[in-house]
Amino acid sequence: MKAYFMNPVLNKELKLRFRSGKTFLGILFYLLALSLLMVAFMYVLRTTSPIGFFKPQESRLMFMFLAFFQLGLVLFITPGLTGGVISSERERQTLSILLTTTQSSFTIIIGKLLSSISYLVLLIVASLPIYSFVFLFGGISPTQLAQVFFFSLFTMLVIGSFGVMFSTLIRKTIVSMVTTYSAALFIVGGTAVISFILLQIADIYSSPVQKNAPAAYFSAMFNPGIVLADIFEPTVSEQIKDLTGIKFPIWAAHIISYCIIIALTLTISVRNLRANMKKGK
């Protein structure tokens, strides 16, 4: 197991990424921006409140704002970090040298993926103390905090696997990154629009006694925003169950489906990394 995750590719990429002072300056400015957003949000809620202090519901609203902001950060940065991990090596003409090493294709792909998202993981972990301020006002449980951070890491892995796959299949880095951003945009915006339309159709044309709209459920389960909203508002999942007639938890369907997609994208990446080489090399 150690050979897969602590390999020379991963070690080299981590050293190159974290030896630069710009990396830690980026973390500093991100934490400052997040802190300013939280302070501004608290100030607005406090000045608009007739009693002049926070309610648990307002603290919960602030946490939801930070959680969706973090999800947007993951969806915006991850394609840029992973969309060129293999194609950039090909453009620098260093991929052939990398493939002549004793590292397997799986080890190279996993090392590139983990090293690319490691910076974003560090950003999320570094923001934990800021999120802990929410507990001072109540309204949020530690379980919800853990669910939000696990969901952010899982979404990062999903988008990152798409980025590695496109970077392996497409020779040009710019084209690969644009394709990864397009896939991320469809996962967020496209599935949301499709889900909204199908749920409206199910609400209008389905039988009032028994709803049956599996297409609306399948489109909704791929949307990370809907699943994140379900963490805070269980009524979201209940409404989807009532409209589609499917009682299976949408968060479980989301994780299962994307775990399958992650396995498929990484398999495609591994198989196409040495596409032009003879078998056995």
Side-chain angles (χ1 to χ4, degrees):
M1 183 63 67
K2 183 178 180 181
Y4 285 120
F5 292 95
M6 293 305 296
N7 55 72
V9 176
L10 179 58
N11 290 335
K12 185 204 74 169
E13 295 290 338
L14 289 177
K15 289 178 181 178
L16 290 176
R17 189 174 298 274
F18 291 104
R19 280 179 176 176
S20 173
K22 296 179 181 179
T23 299
F24 299 98
L25 284 176
I27 297 174
L28 174 62
F29 287 119
Y30 167 71
L31 295 179
L32 287 176
L34 195 63
S35 301
L36 290 175
L37 283 174
M38 186 184 68
V39 171
F41 195 83
M42 293 171 60
Y43 177 78
V44 171
L45 290 180
R46 185 170 181 269
T47 53
T48 56
S49 175
I51 54 179
F53 62 86
F54 273 115
K55 299 178 182 178
Q57 295 84 355
E58 294 175 341
S59 176
R60 190 164 176 267
L61 182 62
M62 180 176 65
F63 182 75
M64 292 175 61
F65 171 76
L66 294 176
F68 277 96
F69 176 80
Q70 182 172 271
L71 178 63
L73 177 77
V74 169
L75 295 170
F76 179 74
I77 296 182
T78 306
L81 294 175
T82 60
V85 289
I86 301 299
S87 58
S88 61
E89 294 279 356
R90 188 182 292 112
E91 290 178 346
R92 294 196 300 264
Q93 299 182 355
T94 55
L95 181 61
S96 57
I97 299 175
L98 183 62
L99 296 178
T100 57
T101 63
T102 58
Q103 301 300 311
S104 65
S105 298
F106 178 78
T107 305
I108 293 174
I109 292 297
I110 290 295
K112 287 290 188 179
L113 174 61
L114 294 180
S115 62
S116 298
I117 66 176
S118 60
Y119 179 67
L120 198 51
V121 172
L122 184 58
L123 285 179
I124 293 176
V125 173
S127 64
L128 273 173
I130 299 176
Y131 278 84
S132 65
F133 279 102
V134 179
F135 292 105
L136 296 176
F137 306 100
I140 294 295
S141 66
T143 302
Q144 286 181 317
L145 178 64
Q147 289 174 341
V148 168
F149 274 83
F150 170 78
F151 183 76
S152 297
L153 294 175
F154 182 75
T155 304
M156 186 192 315
L157 187 61
V158 171
I159 304 300
S161 65
F162 275 104
V164 173
M165 181 187 68
F166 290 132
S167 180
T168 306
L169 297 175
I170 302 174
R171 301 185 64 87
K172 296 294 184 179
T173 300
I174 295 179
V175 179
S176 173
M177 292 179 63
V178 170
T179 307
T180 307
Y181 273 108
S182 300
L185 181 61
F186 176 78
I187 289 173
V188 180
T191 56
V193 173
I194 295 173
S195 300
F196 178 77
I197 295 174
L198 293 178
L199 289 173
Q200 291 296 319
I201 294 175
D203 188 29
I204 296 173
Y205 294 102
S206 296
S207 171
V209 178
Q210 183 178 4
K211 300 290 185 179
N212 185 18
Y217 179 87
F218 291 144
S219 61
M221 76 180 187
F222 284 107
N223 188 277
I226 295 176
V227 178
L228 182 59
D230 184 52
I231 295 176
F232 300 104
E233 296 291 343
T235 55
V236 174
S237 181
E238 294 298 328
Q239 291 176 356
I240 293 176
K241 291 179 182 179
D242 294 338
L243 291 173
T244 61
I246 299 177
K247 304 301 181 183
F248 192 73
I250 193 169
W251 64 266
H254 180 85
I255 292 177
I256 292 172
S257 59
Y258 273 119
C259 281
I260 296 174
I261 290 176
I262 290 173
L264 289 175
T265 53
L266 292 181
T267 301
I268 293 173
S269 301
V270 170
R271 289 184 176 274
N272 286 273
L273 184 63
R274 303 173 189 265
N276 296 325
M277 300 180 67
K278 295 181 179 181
K279 292 184 179 180
K281 288 190 178 181

